Amino acid sequence: MATQNSHLRDDAGSDDPASDSRAAYDYTGGSVDQHELAENLETLVDGDVRFDEYSRQLYATDASAYEVTPVGVVFPRSTDDVAAVVDYCADRGIPILPRGGGTSLAGQATNEAVVLDMTVYMTDLVDVDPSTRVADVQAGTVLADLNATLEPHDLKFAPDPAAGNRSTVGGAIGNNSTGAHSLKYGKTDAYIEEVEVVLADGTVTTFGEVTLDELRNRADADGDIENRIYDALRRVVDEESETIREVYPQLKRNVSGYNLDQLVQEAASETVNLARVFAGSEGTLGVITAATISLEPVPETKSVALLTYHNLLDAMADVDTIVRNHDPAAVEAIDDVLLELARDTEEFEAVAAMLPEETETALLVEFYAEDEAHGRQQIADMVADRVPTATPSVEGEADTDADAPSDDPVRAFDVLEAYDAEERATLWKLRKSGMPILLSRTTDAKHISFIEDTAVPTENLAEYVADFQAVLEDNDTFASFYAHAGPGCMHMRPLVDTKSPAGVAQMESISDAVTDLVVEYNGSVSGEHGDGRARTQWNRKLYGEEVWELFRELKSAFDPDWLLNPGQVCGDVDMTENLRFGENYDFDAGFDPALNWDNENGFQGMVELCHGCGGCRGGQETTGGVMCPTYRASEEESVATRGRANMLRQAMSGDLDDDALDTEFMREIMDLCIGCKGCARDCPSEVDMAKLKTEVEHAHHEEHGADLRDRLFANIDTLNQLGSRVAPISNWAAKIPGARVVLEKVVGIAPERSLPRFHRQSFEEWFEARGGPRVPASQATRKVLLFPDTYTNYNHPEAGKAAVHVLESAGIHVRIAQGVASTGRPAHSKGFLDLSRERAATNVDVLAPRVENGWDVVLVEPSDAVMLQSDYLDLLSGRDVERVAANTYGILEYLDRFEFELTFDAPAKSLTYHGHCHQKATKKDHHATAVLQDAGYEVDALDSGCCGMAGSFGYEAEHYSMSKAIANILFEQVDESDGEEVVAPGASCRTQLGDRDGGETPTHPIEKVAAALRS
């Protein structure tokens, strides 16, 4: 796009020290040949070099509203690699952009530059000394991984940004990150002891603590780059201290501009830590490759109170008193916009329902405590001061004095309290509901992060918020007000449509007016997320011309040619340029969607939904959850949900070639989506990549046809039926010498993979042979149609038999559904939507009348159950399919939901339970654990993702290694579990677990329930 190169324009006659060098480097003009550049860098580094179109587009966005295509991407393995790249680029005037997890919200991780992605190889925790509470880490180390390693020492890296499970140490330094507990811990700069840095000319050096005498002795304006840097920093200390003290806001949460107030503050002790100057510099002063950081002890315990208010401004007025008088670790706000949305959201409605009906705003207050008694006392003290009447807590009654005095007339009217970990998590869940709810909009107007993290002193917070609301009203929009009220850094994301000229103008108008408010209330334009493209231009208004010029002089000392992430902090980026969804944005899928898309903007809305937060890059080892299995196994951006979503959007909006969807690269990354549906649950925006993939696959089949293997797998029910009829011959056939080689050559089946076994007597035939139902309908508690899914019917009828046994023991009249087709799951997963729709229509026609007559539909195989519950609604419309979907259950979900009376003999066995990803994605997986526990088993329910088998995926030869890599993550969790036996409801999962080193194939949990029934 034309705007992507706007920061390279030739500003003739400008005093900008970057102008000439940026004009000299004209990538699009061809002064540096891209192919030659990539080849030369490959000879210089041990890491990977990728300058292809697709890799560049993958790194064109971060978590902000911006998009700029980089020159290329390098994945360095060492500091030497970084130095080699910087040195080479410096000689040729090519910009450099260091990047961590790409979670930046202001656009500072996007630029037309050579991107250095530190997250692939430079991720080591080099050393930790628990006695001195210091660690040496590489820049690409993910914060959550670091803290997981430190946990046995009861230590942690204190700053806790919300994106901590994918953001890095280098990114935290570059952004001067903090988090919800900044009242206790402050910002990252407080924990930087030393940094290893590659300077703009390729020099590798370290910065740390020095005396002022050392600083002055090394300062030389005419010396080498290090001498010049020391001279620039000396000048700040010796000549600009008073200006810095006067101009900088006195806040815990200021990350705008360069971190010069920290330098000046330290200088009073005659010693300064120069490493901390890099905090918040956004890669504009040097490329950090490693750091020595200090650590904090993990608190013994915590206590949480949720104070409720009648309106937002009352809550804002109360914050200062709470912070001054009660020393909390965190004070987080939840406003009426979020509470109303939470009440209408399935995931959060139960938590929101705990609050009194008249609640319009709540403050979550957390304390760190020595023990529970201490935590209770801290809350009791605050409640006595801030709440006028005794109120119920999560555990019981709060012991408060109804007439407790208060010097401040603004008080909460109610409080909920929580002390154990589960109760605290429940209240925090309500606070954390904000981001997912706000980011789930599929309209052109979105809640954009461009002015969301302004900060003001808490004594000014109520007045500031009121004036902020007035600015939004004047600009005919609104925002939710939530998050870090304690340090005065509320989050506000106005609803803006940047695809329209009016929306872009609205965006700048709001920023301008809010910056004026920030200056008026002695605040900062960024209290958390940095300057970047969204806020750099406002630093001049915030700090004034003198400090603005000081920033630029400092930048020139560190980076004489302005090649390090040019334009940010004190540069020339314009907040309205390089927008991901700008005025010239256009979308054309190239085909008509075949599925129902009930969200606003339909298929396009889902394609554009990913906002780039990188939640799909979160490591399962530290966070659990379902998504994104292929990223977790490969750590490749292209196969994360974010990568695929970006590729789809860019292919359909003209950023890539017209035939991009049909290229080998695009086919591969979409093919590697295993359709686990985890993103539909775990992604903050609920991007449904499995559904998007199905649409794209279907369109590909429509235009290009499908190969033999895909057609065979789409019709696996027919093959299974045939295999059952000729069993055991079908089972012997696979053992004939050379048979597996033929299968691999002809069909592409991995020879290492064990094949399903067929039963001569199908489940349906067994049920008929036993004489049908055993519980008469007249005596039954409920009536169930047990749907004979393909795997249960032909490959594992034991699970079906167990289901019948348990259901009938509960007094249920059971019949096998007659006249139904395959559920259509295999065809749907392979993108044969005409076939899956045909089978869905057949089944709905058969089942809908039975459901109307009071029958429940129950399935043993989880993916087939979810097919009827969820995917049928994407294929069909109308009352019949809605009724069938609403009355369909997985077998364990059914038993748990209706709480049937069953009598068990307590088994002397503990189980490790691995749930199916489709049930986890649809929030139905917890039922299995509950039923197994009711049956008397001790259950360790793994917080696991997809097993990697994913239906046919694990059988396909080209996917076998990926399938096993995903499985290894699950295997590690199984090995760490104390369960004596593994159970899993999914047929694919049991195959994957059974193929592990020739191990035993696990059973379906329903078989364990049946075995525990009292005879």
Side-chain angles (χ1 to χ4, degrees):
M1 293 185 292
T3 55
Q4 290 182 349
N5 300 314
S6 61
H7 71 281
L8 301 178
R9 60 186 180 273
D10 183 2
D11 296 322
S14 170
D15 293 331
D16 181 355
S19 296
D20 293 340
S21 64
R22 288 202 305 244
Y25 170 70
D26 181 7
Y27 172 73
T28 56
S31 60
V32 177
D33 179 78
Q34 179 191 14
H35 182 70
E36 178 186 348
L37 176 57
E39 284 190 339
N40 290 344
L41 289 177
E42 283 176 344
T43 66
L44 295 174
V45 302
D46 294 326
D48 306 329
V49 177
R50 298 182 188 173
F51 276 55
D52 62 280
E53 181 183 17
Y54 298 100
S55 295
R56 293 169 59 222
Q57 289 297 335
L58 282 167
Y59 286 81
T61 58
D62 52 11
S64 72
Y66 297 94
E67 179 172 344
V68 183
T69 305
V71 176
V73 187
V74 177
F75 304 86
R77 290 182 179 270
S78 64
T79 298
D80 288 344
D81 275 2
V82 174
V85 173
V86 173
D87 179 48
Y88 179 89
C89 290
D91 287 345
R92 291 155 182 82
I94 302 171
I96 291 287
L97 169 61
R99 174 164 159 144
T103 61
S104 302
L105 286 159
Q108 57 265 57
T110 63
N111 219 325
E112 188 166 358
V114 173
V115 172
L116 296 170
D117 183 350
M118 307 291 195
T119 65
V120 177
Y121 300 119
M122 299 184 67
T123 60
D124 289 344
L125 171 58
V126 179
D127 185 49
V128 57
D129 185 347
S131 62
T132 59
R133 301 203 307 231
V134 168
D136 295 323
V137 295
Q138 289 186 300
T141 304
V142 173
L143 299 183
D145 294 341
L146 169 63
N147 283 334
T149 305
L150 296 172
E151 188 175 4
H153 305 297
D154 290 325
L155 295 173
K156 66 177 181 178
F157 180 66
D160 56 345
N165 69 330
R166 62 265 192 199
S167 54
T168 63
V169 170
I173 295 172
N175 206 57
N176 204 2
S177 296
T178 179
H181 297 92
S182 63
L183 289 172
K184 284 290 185 188
Y185 296 126
K187 299 170 293 189
T188 293
D189 57 8
Y191 304 94
I192 308 171
E193 301 304 322
E194 187 174 274
V195 290
E196 179 184 72
V197 182
V198 177
L199 298 176
D201 66 348
T203 299
V204 179
T205 188
T206 58
F207 289 93
E209 190 172 83
V210 298
T211 65
L212 290 186
D213 286 342
E214 290 176 278
L215 176 65
R216 290 162 182 147
N217 289 338
R218 294 196 60 179
D220 183 354
D222 297 319
D224 62 20
I225 189 169
E226 288 189 71
N227 297 139
R228 297 196 300 272
I229 288 170
Y230 274 81
D231 184 63
L233 295 174
R234 176 209 59 77
R235 185 186 163 215
V236 171
V237 171
D238 289 343
E239 301 174 24
E240 303 292 345
S241 292
E242 193 58 38
T243 300
I244 297 297
R245 291 191 189 96
E246 289 177 0
V247 170
Y248 270 68
Q250 301 303 304
L251 292 170
K252 286 180 176 289
R253 297 289 287 263
N254 174 32
V255 298
S256 288
Y258 289 124
N259 201 28
L260 303 185
D261 55 338
Q262 177 76 22
L263 183 70
V264 167
Q265 181 180 333
E266 290 181 358
S269 64
E270 295 297 313
T271 301
V272 292
N273 191 321
L274 302 184
R276 293 170 183 169
V277 173
F278 291 89
S281 64
E282 301 182 0
T284 62
L285 301 182
V287 180
I288 295 169
T289 54
T292 300
I293 55 174
S294 56
L295 310 171
E296 287 290 321
V298 176
E300 293 294 330
T301 189
K302 305 169 187 175
S303 59
V304 172
L306 196 69
L307 301 172
T308 63
Y309 297 82
H310 288 114
N311 61 71
L312 174 65
L313 296 183
D314 278 356
M316 296 299 95
D318 215 11
V319 169
D320 188 58
T321 302
I322 294 170
V323 172
R324 280 188 291 105
N325 293 352
H326 300 289
D327 191 29
V331 180
E332 300 285 296
I334 316 159
D335 76 343
D336 59 328
V337 174
L338 284 186
L339 288 175
E340 285 304 311
L341 290 170
R343 292 183 180 109
D344 293 334
T345 305
E346 180 181 353
E347 183 174 359
F348 305 110
E349 63 180 345
V351 183
M354 297 166 55
L355 300 174
E357 289 185 7
E358 60 268 35
T359 302
E360 287 203 6
T361 298
L363 292 179
L364 185 148
V365 185
E366 182 170 82
F367 294 95
Y368 287 167
E370 299 167 4
D371 51 35
E372 184 173 319
H374 180 215
R376 288 180 177 276
Q377 185 59 55
Q378 290 180 98
I379 287 183
D381 292 343
M382 182 185 67
V383 167
D385 180 37
R386 308 312 309 151
V387 184
T389 58
T391 55
S393 71
V394 173
E395 287 192 343
E397 294 292 324
D399 183 17
T400 62
D401 181 355
D403 298 317
S406 173
D407 295 332
D408 192 327
V410 179
R411 292 185 288 172
F413 70 87
D414 208 341
V415 63
L416 300 174
E417 302 172 29
Y419 299 97
D420 70 34
E422 185 175 348
E423 291 170 345
R424 296 197 306 266
T426 297
L427 297 185
W428 269 104
K429 182 179 182 180
L430 185 61
R431 150 64 184 92
K432 292 177 180 179
S433 69
M435 186 73 79
I437 291 171
L438 290 178
L439 297 180
S440 62
R441 287 185 180 271
T442 56
T443 57
D444 287 341
K446 298 183 183 297
H447 289 283
I448 298 175
S449 171
F450 64 95
I451 199 70
E452 76 159 344
D453 61 318
T454 54
V456 298
T458 51
E459 62 265 26
N460 299 333
L461 189 57
E463 292 83 358
Y464 172 69
V465 168
D467 288 346
F468 197 117
Q469 289 176 320
V471 168
L472 297 179
E473 290 176 9
D474 290 343
N475 284 272
D476 196 28
T477 189
F478 71 96
S480 177
F481 291 73
Y482 69 103
H484 315 309
C489 184
M490 294 284 287
H491 286 349
M492 299 81 78
R493 290 193 173 197
L495 189 67
V496 174
D497 176 12
T498 58
K499 292 180 182 178
S500 70
V504 174
Q506 182 186 44
M507 179 181 176
E508 186 163 26
S509 172
I510 292 170
S511 292
D512 194 11
V514 167
T515 302
D516 288 339
L517 291 179
V518 164
V519 173
E520 177 184 347
Y521 287 111
N522 302 313
S524 168
V525 293
S526 178
E528 183 169 21
H529 298 148
D531 296 324
R533 297 180 175 277
R535 286 181 284 270
T536 287
Q537 72 188 74
W538 306 113
N539 278 338
R540 176 176 276 165
K541 181 181 285 190
L542 175 67
Y543 289 113
E545 288 297 328
E546 185 175 354
V547 171
W548 175 258
E549 289 304 320
L550 180 61
F551 286 165
R552 294 172 69 80
E553 291 168 11
L554 187 72
K555 164 72 172 172
S556 294
F558 277 85
D559 180 18
D561 295 322
W562 285 53
L563 294 176
L564 298 177
N565 201 8
Q568 322 298 311
V569 182
C570 58
D572 62 349
V573 291
D574 186 321
M575 69 171 298
T576 63
E577 294 181 350
N578 300 295
L579 291 166
R580 189 186 310 185
F581 301 113
E583 299 174 38
N584 298 320
Y585 178 84
D586 189 30
F587 182 91
D588 181 8
F591 58 84
D592 293 327
L595 295 172
N596 295 332
W597 295 89
D598 294 332
N599 51 282
E600 295 186 76
N601 276 6
F603 175 72
Q604 177 181 348
M606 183 59 69
V607 172
E608 296 174 353
L609 184 56
C610 174
H611 67 286
C613 73
C616 45
R617 289 171 53 103
Q620 183 167 329
E621 294 81 357
T622 52
T623 63
V626 186
M627 74 168 187
C628 177
T630 47
Y631 176 78
R632 288 173 172 173
S634 66
E635 296 188 343
E636 279 281 349
E637 174 74 17
S638 63
V639 295
T641 302
R642 179 173 73 176
R644 291 191 183 95
N646 272 328
M647 288 287 93
L648 279 181
R649 176 182 54 77
Q650 289 162 333
M652 295 176 182
S653 63
D655 287 345
L656 295 170
D657 293 338
D658 292 342
D659 63 347
L661 283 179
D662 293 323
T663 60
E664 182 179 350
F665 179 85
M666 287 293 293
R667 296 292 303 151
E668 180 179 359
I669 66 168
M670 294 307 295
D671 196 35
L672 286 173
C673 170
I674 58 179
C676 68
K677 297 178 177 282
C679 46
R681 186 196 80 168
D682 285 354
C683 169
S685 298
E686 298 183 353
V687 173
D688 194 340
M689 184 52 62
K691 187 175 176 181
L692 288 170
K693 176 195 175 179
T694 300
E695 277 281 19
V696 173
E697 286 291 295
H698 174 72
H700 183 79
H701 293 330
E702 290 288 289
E703 184 172 353
H704 302 286
D707 61 28
L708 172 63
R709 188 181 65 187
D710 282 351
R711 292 188 181 279
L712 288 174
F713 279 130
N715 291 280
I716 197 69
D717 53 310
T718 302
L719 294 178
N720 278 354
Q721 184 179 28
L722 178 61
S724 177
R725 285 179 179 174
V726 299
I729 296 173
S730 51
N731 296 322
W732 300 337
K735 299 178 182 178
I736 296 173
R740 301 307 301 273
V741 175
V742 172
L743 279 174
E744 182 183 15
K745 298 272 187 199
V746 176
V747 189
I749 302 297
E752 304 91 339
R753 186 66 75 185
S754 63
L755 297 176
R757 289 185 57 80
F758 302 102
H759 284 252
R760 179 73 175 183
Q761 184 187 52
S762 70
F763 170 55
E764 288 181 281
E765 291 168 343
W766 166 83
F767 189 82
E768 184 178 350
R770 80 195 277 268
R774 295 283 175 85
V775 177
S778 60
Q779 300 174 16
T781 55
R782 296 184 76 92
K783 298 183 296 182
V784 160
L785 285 175
L786 199 57
F787 195 108
D789 68 83
T790 295
Y791 191 85
T792 302
N793 203 22
Y794 302 115
N795 306 111
H796 195 67
E798 290 81 5
K801 297 172 186 179
V804 171
H805 181 39
V806 174
L807 290 169
E808 291 184 338
S809 297
I812 297 168
H813 179 67
V814 180
R815 288 189 178 275
I816 306 299
Q818 299 296 311
V820 293
S822 159
T823 63
R825 165 60 67 201
H828 200 75
S829 297
K830 283 296 181 183
F832 292 92
L833 296 184
D834 292 338
L835 182 56
S836 62
R837 182 178 290 106
E838 176 187 322
R839 292 178 177 173
T842 296
N843 293 334
V844 169
D845 286 345
V846 171
L847 297 174
R850 308 302 295 273
V851 169
E852 289 283 355
N853 288 328
W855 289 80
D856 303 316
V857 182
V858 175
L859 294 96
V860 173
E861 177 62 29
S863 62
D864 287 286
V866 172
M867 184 71 188
L868 271 71
Q869 293 170 324
S870 177
D871 297 281
Y872 275 16
L873 297 172
D874 294 333
L875 291 164
L876 305 171
S877 301
R879 182 174 182 273
D880 283 352
V881 68
E882 292 169 2
R883 287 292 298 274
V884 170
N887 289 277
T888 294
Y889 309 90
I891 178 61
L892 296 159
E893 174 194 2
Y894 187 70
L895 294 172
D896 186 43
R897 187 178 293 275
F898 294 105
E899 300 180 344
F900 299 105
E901 291 187 11
L902 292 166
T903 306
F904 300 98
D905 290 319
K909 179 164 279 193
S910 60
L911 302 175
T912 296
Y913 172 73
H914 164 64
H916 194 281
C917 50
H918 284 187
Q919 287 188 319
K920 289 183 176 182
T922 52
K923 303 180 179 70
K924 298 179 185 296
D925 186 57
H926 61 284
H927 296 294
T929 303
V931 173
L932 288 170
Q933 289 173 335
D934 287 344
Y937 295 98
E938 291 184 13
V939 183
D940 179 13
L942 301 179
D943 187 10
S944 50
C946 182
C947 69
M949 197 66 185
S952 64
F953 181 87
Y955 286 103
E956 295 163 356
E958 71 273 23
H959 296 148
Y960 179 76
S961 60
M962 175 64 80
S963 174
K964 298 301 287 186
I966 296 170
N968 286 335
I969 300 172
L970 170 61
F971 296 161
E972 290 179 14
Q973 292 177 296
V974 170
D975 290 343
E976 293 170 1
S977 173
D978 294 329
E980 300 169 67
E981 183 179 344
V982 181
V983 294
S988 293
C989 308
R990 298 199 297 275
T991 298
Q992 185 78 288
L993 288 160
D995 276 358
R996 183 189 185 189
D997 302 325
E1000 280 190 33
T1001 300
T1003 57
H1004 193 296
I1006 193 62
E1007 296 177 73
K1008 290 300 176 185
V1009 177
L1013 284 171
R1014 182 169 296 170
S1015 301

